[in-house]
Amino acid sequence: FVGIGIEDNLAFLEKEHGIGFRSAVELGPLAATLMKMPHLSYCGVDELAIEVCKLGLRKYRPSSLAFSWGDYYLDEELV
């Protein structure tokens, strides 16, 4: 699994639900190492998307919790 704060999330799933995982990779430190940009270690998803992909994710965020991702068209660039 890969993500931001993923290790904490997976530890919670294992502790609370008994679901175990083989490995997890934190995106920030991975991006920092690969791109030789140490400040990326501390970035969240939005900041990484801007720094790494030049993609502003905020405009794609749902405006409410009732948002249906199945009804949302993701073009090839966004995917």
Side-chain angles (χ1 to χ4, degrees), residues 38-75:
H39 74 280
L40 295 179
S41 287
Y42 309 102
C43 288
V45 172
D46 289 332
E47 293 86 4
L48 282 175
I50 290 170
E51 291 275 337
V52 175
C53 302
K54 309 299 184 234
L55 176 65
L57 290 179
R58 291 177 201 258
K59 68 181 178 181
Y60 299 106
R61 295 254 192 257
S63 57
S64 76
L65 294 176
F67 186 82
S68 173
W69 283 104
D71 295 339
Y72 187 72
Y73 176 73
L74 298 175
D75 65 22

